Structure formats: structure tokens, C-alpha cells
Coordinates of all heavy atoms in Angstrom, one line a residue:
M1121 N 14.1 -30.1 9.7 CA 14.8 -28.8 9.8 C 13.8 -27.7 9.8 O 12.8 -27.6 9.0 CB 15.7 -28.7 8.5 CG 16.5 -27.5 8.6 SD 18.0 -27.7 7.5 CE 17.6 -26.6 6.2
T1122 N 13.9 -26.8 10.8 CA 13.1 -25.7 11.0 C 13.4 -24.6 9.9 O 14.6 -24.2 9.8 CB 13.2 -25.1 12.4 OG1 13.0 -26.1 13.3 CG2 12.2 -24.0 12.6
P1123 N 12.4 -24.0 9.3 CA 12.7 -22.9 8.3 C 13.2 -21.7 9.0 O 12.8 -21.4 10.2 CB 11.3 -22.6 7.7 CG 10.3 -23.3 8.5 CD 11.0 -24.3 9.3
R1124 N 14.1 -21.0 8.4 CA 14.7 -19.8 9.0 C 13.7 -18.7 8.9 O 13.1 -18.4 7.8 CB 16.0 -19.5 8.2 CG 16.7 -18.3 8.7 CD 18.0 -18.1 8.1 NE 18.5 -16.8 8.4 CZ 18.9 -15.9 7.5 NH1 19.0 -16.2 6.3 NH2 19.3 -14.7 7.9
T1125 N 13.5 -17.9 9.9 CA 12.6 -16.8 10.0 C 13.4 -15.5 9.6 O 14.5 -15.3 10.1 CB 12.0 -16.6 11.4 OG1 11.3 -17.8 11.7 CG2 11.1 -15.4 11.4
L1126 N 12.9 -14.8 8.7 CA 13.6 -13.6 8.2 C 12.8 -12.4 8.7 O 11.6 -12.3 8.8 CB 13.6 -13.5 6.7 CG 14.4 -14.6 6.0 CD1 14.2 -14.5 4.5 CD2 15.9 -14.5 6.4
R1127 N 13.5 -11.4 9.1 CA 12.9 -10.1 9.5 C 12.6 -9.3 8.3 O 13.4 -9.3 7.4 CB 13.9 -9.4 10.5 CG 14.1 -10.0 11.8 CD 15.0 -9.2 12.7 NE 15.4 -7.9 12.0 CZ 16.1 -7.0 12.5 NH1 16.6 -7.2 13.7 NH2 16.3 -5.9 11.9
I1128 N 11.5 -8.5 8.3 CA 11.2 -7.7 7.2 C 12.3 -6.7 6.9 O 12.6 -6.4 5.7 CB 9.8 -7.0 7.4 CG1 9.3 -6.3 6.1 CG2 9.8 -6.0 8.5 CD1 8.9 -7.3 5.0
E1129 N 12.9 -6.2 7.9 CA 14.0 -5.2 7.7 C 15.1 -5.8 7.0 O 15.7 -5.1 6.1 CB 14.5 -4.7 9.1 CG 13.5 -3.8 9.8 CD 12.5 -4.7 10.7 OE1 12.7 -5.9 10.8 OE2 11.6 -4.1 11.2
D1130 N 15.4 -7.1 7.2 CA 16.5 -7.7 6.5 C 16.2 -7.9 5.0 O 17.0 -7.7 4.1 CB 16.8 -9.1 7.1 CG 17.4 -9.0 8.5 OD1 17.9 -7.9 8.9 OD2 17.3 -9.9 9.3
L1131 N 14.9 -8.3 4.8 CA 14.5 -8.4 3.4 C 14.5 -7.1 2.6 O 15.0 -7.0 1.5 CB 13.1 -9.0 3.3 CG 13.0 -10.5 3.7 CD1 11.5 -10.9 3.8 CD2 13.7 -11.4 2.7
I1132 N 14.1 -6.1 3.3 CA 14.1 -4.7 2.7 C 15.5 -4.3 2.3 O 15.8 -3.9 1.2 CB 13.4 -3.7 3.5 CG1 11.9 -4.0 3.6 CG2 13.6 -2.3 3.0 CD1 11.1 -3.2 4.6
A1133 N 16.4 -4.5 3.3 CA 17.8 -4.2 3.1 C 18.4 -5.0 1.9 O 19.1 -4.4 1.1 CB 18.6 -4.4 4.4
K1134 N 18.1 -6.2 1.8 CA 18.6 -7.1 0.8 C 18.1 -6.7 -0.6 O 18.9 -6.6 -1.5 CB 18.2 -8.6 1.0 CG 18.6 -9.5 0.0 CD 18.2 -10.9 0.3 CE 18.6 -11.9 -0.8 NZ 18.2 -13.3 -0.5
Y1135 N 16.9 -6.3 -0.7 CA 16.3 -6.0 -2.0 C 16.3 -4.5 -2.4 O 15.8 -4.2 -3.4 CB 14.9 -6.6 -2.1 CG 14.9 -8.1 -2.2 CD1 14.5 -8.9 -1.1 CD2 15.3 -8.8 -3.3 CE1 14.6 -10.2 -1.1 CE2 15.4 -10.1 -3.3 CZ 15.0 -10.9 -2.2 OH 15.1 -12.3 -2.3
T1136 N 16.9 -3.7 -1.5 CA 17.0 -2.3 -1.9 C 18.4 -1.8 -1.9 O 18.7 -0.6 -1.7 CB 16.1 -1.4 -0.9 OG1 16.6 -1.6 0.4 CG2 14.7 -1.7 -1.0
V1137 N 19.4 -2.7 -2.1 CA 20.8 -2.3 -2.2 C 21.0 -1.4 -3.3 O 21.7 -0.4 -3.2 CB 21.7 -3.6 -2.3 CG1 23.1 -3.2 -2.6 CG2 21.5 -4.5 -1.1
H1138 N 20.5 -1.7 -4.5 CA 20.7 -0.8 -5.7 C 19.8 0.4 -5.6 O 18.6 0.3 -5.2 CB 20.4 -1.6 -6.9 CG 21.3 -2.8 -7.1 ND1 22.7 -2.7 -7.3 CD2 21.1 -4.1 -7.0 CE1 23.2 -3.9 -7.4 NE2 22.3 -4.8 -7.1
P1139 N 20.3 1.5 -6.0 CA 19.5 2.8 -5.9 C 18.2 2.7 -6.7 O 17.2 3.2 -6.2 CB 20.4 3.8 -6.5 CG 21.8 3.3 -6.3 CD 21.7 1.8 -6.4
E1140 N 18.2 2.0 -7.8 CA 16.9 1.9 -8.6 C 15.9 1.1 -7.8 O 14.7 1.5 -7.8 CB 17.2 1.3 -9.9 CG 17.9 2.2 -10.9 CD 18.3 1.5 -12.2 OE1 17.7 0.4 -12.5 OE2 19.1 2.1 -13.0
A1141 N 16.3 0.0 -7.2 CA 15.4 -0.8 -6.4 C 14.9 0.0 -5.2 O 13.7 -0.1 -4.9 CB 16.1 -2.1 -6.0
K1142 N 15.8 0.7 -4.6 CA 15.3 1.5 -3.4 C 14.3 2.6 -3.8 O 13.3 2.8 -3.1 CB 16.5 2.1 -2.7 CG 16.1 3.0 -1.5 CD 17.2 3.2 -0.6 CE 16.9 4.0 0.7 NZ 15.5 4.2 1.0
A1143 N 14.5 3.2 -4.9 CA 13.6 4.2 -5.4 C 12.2 3.6 -5.7 O 11.2 4.2 -5.3 CB 14.1 4.9 -6.6
Q1144 N 12.2 2.4 -6.3 CA 10.9 1.7 -6.5 C 10.3 1.4 -5.2 O 9.0 1.5 -5.1 CB 11.2 0.5 -7.4 CG 11.4 0.8 -8.8 CD 11.6 -0.4 -9.7 OE1 12.0 -1.5 -9.2 NE2 11.3 -0.3 -11.0
F1145 N 11.0 0.9 -4.3 CA 10.5 0.5 -3.0 C 9.9 1.7 -2.3 O 8.8 1.7 -1.8 CB 11.6 -0.1 -2.1 CG 11.1 -0.4 -0.7 CD1 10.4 -1.5 -0.4 CD2 11.4 0.5 0.3 CE1 9.9 -1.8 0.9 CE2 11.0 0.3 1.6 CZ 10.2 -0.9 1.9
D1146 N 10.6 2.8 -2.3 CA 10.1 4.0 -1.6 C 8.9 4.5 -2.3 O 7.9 5.0 -1.6 CB 11.2 5.1 -1.6 CG 12.4 4.8 -0.7 OD1 12.2 3.9 0.2 OD2 13.5 5.4 -0.9
Q1147 N 8.8 4.5 -3.6 CA 7.6 4.9 -4.3 C 6.4 4.1 -4.0 O 5.3 4.6 -3.7 CB 7.9 4.9 -5.8 CG 6.7 5.4 -6.7 CD 7.0 5.4 -8.1 OE1 7.9 4.6 -8.6 NE2 6.3 6.1 -8.9
G1148 N 6.6 2.8 -3.9 CA 5.6 1.8 -3.6 C 5.1 2.1 -2.1 O 3.9 2.0 -1.8
K1149 N 6.0 2.3 -1.2 CA 5.7 2.6 0.2 C 4.8 3.8 0.3 O 3.8 3.8 1.0 CB 7.0 2.7 1.0 CG 6.8 2.8 2.5 CD 8.0 2.6 3.2 CE 8.6 3.9 3.6 NZ 9.8 3.8 4.5
V1150 N 5.2 4.9 -0.4 CA 4.4 6.1 -0.3 C 3.0 5.8 -0.9 O 2.0 6.3 -0.3 CB 5.1 7.2 -1.1 CG1 4.2 8.4 -1.3 CG2 6.4 7.7 -0.4
R1151 N 2.9 5.1 -2.0 CA 1.6 4.8 -2.6 C 0.7 4.0 -1.6 O -0.5 4.3 -1.5 CB 1.8 4.0 -3.9 CG 0.6 3.9 -4.7 CD 0.8 3.2 -6.1 NE 1.3 1.8 -5.9 CZ 2.5 1.4 -6.3 NH1 3.3 2.1 -6.9 NH2 2.8 0.1 -6.1
L1152 N 1.3 3.0 -1.0 CA 0.5 2.2 0.0 C 0.1 3.0 1.2 O -1.0 2.9 1.7 CB 1.3 1.0 0.4 CG 1.4 -0.1 -0.7 CD1 2.3 -1.2 -0.3 CD2 0.0 -0.6 -1.1
M1153 N 1.0 3.9 1.7 CA 0.7 4.7 2.9 C -0.5 5.7 2.5 O -1.4 5.9 3.3 CB 1.9 5.4 3.4 CG 2.9 4.5 4.0 SD 4.5 5.3 4.4 CE 4.0 6.5 5.6
T1154 N -0.4 6.2 1.3 CA -1.5 7.1 0.9 C -2.8 6.4 0.8 O -3.8 6.9 1.2 CB -1.1 7.8 -0.5 OG1 0.2 8.5 -0.3 CG2 -2.1 8.8 -0.9
A1155 N -2.8 5.2 0.2 CA -4.0 4.4 0.1 C -4.6 4.1 1.4 O -5.8 4.2 1.6 CB -3.7 3.2 -0.7
Y1156 N -3.7 3.8 2.4 CA -4.2 3.5 3.7 C -4.8 4.7 4.4 O -5.9 4.6 5.0 CB -3.0 2.9 4.6 CG -3.4 2.7 6.0 CD1 -4.2 1.6 6.3 CD2 -3.0 3.5 7.0 CE1 -4.6 1.3 7.6 CE2 -3.3 3.2 8.3 CZ -4.1 2.2 8.6 OH -4.5 1.9 9.9
Q1157 N -4.2 5.8 4.2 CA -4.8 7.1 4.8 C -6.1 7.4 4.2 O -7.0 7.9 4.8 CB -3.8 8.2 4.7 CG -2.5 8.1 5.5 CD -2.9 8.1 7.0 OE1 -3.7 8.8 7.5 NE2 -2.1 7.2 7.7
F1158 N -6.2 7.2 2.9 CA -7.5 7.5 2.2 C -8.6 6.6 2.7 O -9.7 7.0 3.0 CB -7.2 7.2 0.7 CG -8.4 7.4 -0.2 CD1 -8.7 8.7 -0.7 CD2 -9.3 6.4 -0.6 CE1 -9.8 8.9 -1.5 CE2 -10.4 6.6 -1.4 CZ -10.6 7.9 -1.9
M1159 N -8.3 5.3 2.9 CA -9.2 4.3 3.4 C -9.6 4.7 4.8 O -10.8 4.6 5.2 CB -8.7 2.9 3.3 CG -9.6 1.8 3.7 SD -9.0 0.1 3.4 CE -7.5 0.1 4.3
K1160 N -8.7 5.1 5.7 CA -9.0 5.4 7.0 C -9.9 6.6 7.1 O -10.8 6.7 7.9 CB -7.7 5.8 7.8 CG -7.0 4.6 8.4 CD -5.8 4.9 9.2 CE -6.0 6.0 10.3 NZ -4.8 6.2 11.1
A1161 N -9.6 7.6 6.2 CA -10.5 8.8 6.2 C -11.9 8.5 5.8 O -12.9 9.0 6.4 CB -9.8 9.9 5.3
R1162 N -12.0 7.6 4.8 CA -13.3 7.2 4.3 C -14.1 6.5 5.4 O -15.2 6.8 5.7 CB -13.2 6.3 3.1 CG -14.6 5.8 2.6 CD -14.5 4.8 1.5 NE -13.7 3.6 1.8 CZ -14.0 2.6 2.6 NH1 -15.2 2.6 3.2 NH2 -13.2 1.6 2.8
D1163 N -13.4 5.6 6.1 CA -14.0 4.9 7.2 C -14.4 5.8 8.4 O -15.4 5.6 8.9 CB -13.0 3.8 7.7 CG -13.6 2.8 8.6 OD1 -14.7 2.3 8.3 OD2 -13.1 2.5 9.7
A1164 N -13.5 6.7 8.7 CA -13.8 7.7 9.8 C -15.0 8.5 9.5 O -15.7 8.9 10.4 CB -12.6 8.5 10.1
A1165 N -15.2 8.8 8.2 CA -16.4 9.6 7.8 C -17.7 8.7 7.8 O -18.8 9.2 7.6 CB -16.2 10.2 6.4
G1166 N -17.5 7.4 8.0 CA -18.6 6.5 8.0 C -19.2 6.2 6.7 O -20.4 5.9 6.5
L1167 N -18.4 6.3 5.7 CA -18.8 6.1 4.3 C -18.3 4.7 3.8 O -17.2 4.3 4.0 CB -18.2 7.1 3.4 CG -18.7 8.6 3.6 CD1 -17.9 9.5 2.8 CD2 -20.2 8.7 3.4
S1168 N -19.2 4.0 3.0 CA -18.7 2.8 2.3 C -18.1 3.3 1.0 O -18.2 4.5 0.6 CB -20.0 2.0 2.0 OG -20.8 2.6 1.0
Q1169 N -17.4 2.4 0.4 CA -16.8 2.7 -1.0 C -18.0 3.2 -1.9 O -17.8 4.2 -2.6 CB -16.1 1.5 -1.6 CG -14.8 1.2 -0.9 CD -14.1 0.1 -1.6 OE1 -14.7 -0.6 -2.5 NE2 -12.8 -0.1 -1.2
R1170 N -19.1 2.5 -1.8 CA -20.2 2.9 -2.7 C -20.7 4.3 -2.4 O -21.0 5.1 -3.3 CB -21.3 1.9 -2.5 CG -22.5 2.0 -3.5 CD -23.4 0.9 -3.4 NE -22.7 -0.3 -3.6 CZ -23.2 -1.5 -3.8 NH1 -24.5 -1.7 -3.9 NH2 -22.4 -2.6 -4.0
D1171 N -20.8 4.6 -1.1 CA -21.3 6.0 -0.7 C -20.3 7.1 -1.2 O -20.8 8.1 -1.7 CB -21.4 6.1 0.8 CG -22.5 5.2 1.4 OD1 -23.4 4.8 0.7 OD2 -22.4 4.9 2.6
L1172 N -19.0 6.8 -1.0 CA -18.0 7.8 -1.4 C -18.0 8.0 -2.9 O -18.0 9.1 -3.4 CB -16.7 7.4 -0.9 CG -15.5 8.4 -1.3 CD1 -15.8 9.8 -0.8 CD2 -14.2 7.9 -0.7
A1173 N -18.1 6.8 -3.6 CA -18.2 6.9 -5.1 C -19.4 7.7 -5.6 O -19.2 8.5 -6.5 CB -18.2 5.5 -5.7
A1174 N -20.5 7.5 -5.0 CA -21.7 8.2 -5.4 C -21.5 9.7 -5.1 O -21.9 10.6 -6.0 CB -22.9 7.7 -4.6
A1175 N -21.0 10.1 -4.0 CA -20.8 11.5 -3.6 C -19.7 12.1 -4.5 O -19.8 13.3 -4.9 CB -20.3 11.6 -2.2
A1176 N -18.7 11.3 -5.0 CA -17.7 11.9 -5.8 C -18.0 11.8 -7.3 O -17.3 12.4 -8.2 CB -16.4 11.1 -5.6
G1177 N -19.1 11.1 -7.6 CA -19.5 10.9 -9.0 C -18.6 10.0 -9.8 O -18.4 10.3 -11.0
V1178 N -18.0 9.0 -9.2 CA -17.2 8.1 -9.9 C -17.7 6.7 -9.6 O -18.4 6.4 -8.6 CB -15.7 8.2 -9.4 CG1 -15.1 9.6 -9.7 CG2 -15.5 7.9 -7.9
P1179 N -17.3 5.7 -10.4 CA -17.7 4.3 -10.1 C -17.0 3.8 -8.9 O -15.9 4.2 -8.5 CB -17.2 3.5 -11.4 CG -16.9 4.5 -12.4 CD -16.6 5.8 -11.7
Q1180 N -17.7 2.9 -8.2 CA -17.1 2.3 -6.9 C -15.8 1.7 -7.2 O -14.9 1.7 -6.3 CB -18.1 1.3 -6.3 CG -17.7 0.7 -5.0 CD -16.9 -0.6 -5.3 OE1 -17.1 -1.3 -6.3 NE2 -16.0 -0.9 -4.4
R1181 N -15.6 1.1 -8.3 CA -14.3 0.4 -8.6 C -13.1 1.4 -8.6 O -12.0 1.0 -8.3 CB -14.4 -0.3 -10.0 CG -14.4 0.6 -11.2 CD -14.5 -0.3 -12.5 NE -14.6 0.6 -13.6 CZ -15.7 1.0 -14.1 NH1 -16.9 0.6 -13.6 NH2 -15.8 1.9 -15.1
E1182 N -13.4 2.7 -8.8 CA -12.3 3.7 -8.7 C -11.9 3.9 -7.3 O -10.7 4.0 -7.0 CB -12.7 5.0 -9.4 CG -12.8 4.9 -10.9 CD -11.5 4.6 -11.5 OE1 -10.5 5.1 -11.2 OE2 -11.6 3.7 -12.5
I1183 N -12.8 3.9 -6.4 CA -12.5 4.0 -5.0 C -11.7 2.8 -4.5 O -10.7 2.9 -3.8 CB -13.8 4.2 -4.1 CG1 -14.6 5.4 -4.6 CG2 -13.4 4.2 -2.6 CD1 -13.9 6.7 -4.5
A1184 N -12.1 1.6 -4.9 CA -11.4 0.4 -4.6 C -10.0 0.4 -5.1 O -9.1 0.0 -4.5 CB -12.2 -0.9 -5.1
R1185 N -9.9 0.9 -6.4 CA -8.5 0.9 -7.0 C -7.6 1.8 -6.2 O -6.4 1.5 -6.0 CB -8.6 1.4 -8.4 CG -7.3 1.4 -9.2 CD -7.5 2.0 -10.6 NE -7.9 3.4 -10.6 CZ -7.1 4.4 -10.3 NH1 -5.8 4.2 -10.0 NH2 -7.5 5.6 -10.3
V1186 N -8.1 3.0 -5.8 CA -7.3 3.9 -5.0 C -6.9 3.3 -3.7 O -5.7 3.3 -3.3 CB -8.0 5.2 -4.8 CG1 -7.3 6.1 -3.7 CG2 -8.2 6.0 -6.1
E1187 N -7.8 2.6 -3.0 CA -7.5 2.0 -1.7 C -6.6 0.8 -1.8 O -5.9 0.4 -0.9 CB -8.8 1.6 -1.0 CG -9.6 2.8 -0.6 CD -10.9 2.4 0.2 OE1 -11.2 1.2 0.4 OE2 -11.6 3.4 0.6
L1188 N -6.5 0.2 -3.0 CA -5.5 -0.9 -3.2 C -4.1 -0.4 -3.4 O -3.1 -1.1 -3.4 CB -5.9 -1.8 -4.4 CG -7.1 -2.7 -4.1 CD1 -7.5 -3.4 -5.4 CD2 -6.8 -3.7 -3.0
G1189 N -4.0 0.9 -3.6 CA -2.6 1.5 -3.8 C -2.2 1.5 -5.2 O -1.2 1.6 -5.7

């Protein structure tokens, strides 16, 4: 038997029926989009996480944490 393929839109709809779940989903989506934009900007500037951390005066792990969302 072939496994059924689910569309991401269907899964999102299924798990965001309740307002609280939708709010959590939306908050997570914004967090991940922000992290992605941060990483793109760093990359466009030609900086490694280590370079950015040194320039910002923070540990590299903080840059990694932000980029993970």
C-alpha cells in the first residue's frame, strides 16, 4: 500500500482549527521568517556567524540561536 501524501496546506489547516493553535502557529511563522531574514542579511554582508558575533560583541552561539528562530 502506497503511503498517502499530504499537502502542507492541509496539515496547517488541520492543526490550526482552534484559535489558540493558530495564534501559536502564526507566532512561530513570524519568528522563523525573521530568523531567515537575519541570516540572509548576514550572508549578503559576507559575514560568518563568528564575524558578526565579534562585531556585535556577543558570543557566536547567540547569532546561531537567533538564526534558528
Side-chain angles (χ1 to χ4, degrees):
M1121 184 158 109
T1122 306
R1124 181 171 166 229
T1125 302
L1126 297 174
R1127 293 179 6 176
I1128 189 71
E1129 293 84 6
D1130 295 337
L1131 288 172
I1132 291 169
K1134 178 180 178 180
Y1135 291 106
T1136 58
V1137 171
H1138 299 290
E1140 290 175 12
K1142 180 160 179 16
Q1144 286 181 334
F1145 174 82
D1146 290 342
Q1147 184 181 20
K1149 187 168 98 174
V1150 168
R1151 189 175 65 242
L1152 289 175
M1153 289 173 60
T1154 302
Y1156 177 72
Q1157 291 298 322
F1158 182 86
M1159 185 172 54
K1160 273 182 55 175
R1162 176 186 58 76
D1163 190 52
L1167 297 172
S1168 68
Q1169 287 183 350
R1170 187 172 305 195
D1171 294 337
L1172 180 56
V1178 299
Q1180 180 271 330
R1181 70 178 176 273
E1182 290 300 315
I1183 304 300
R1185 185 185 62 76
V1186 169
E1187 290 184 1
L1188 287 173

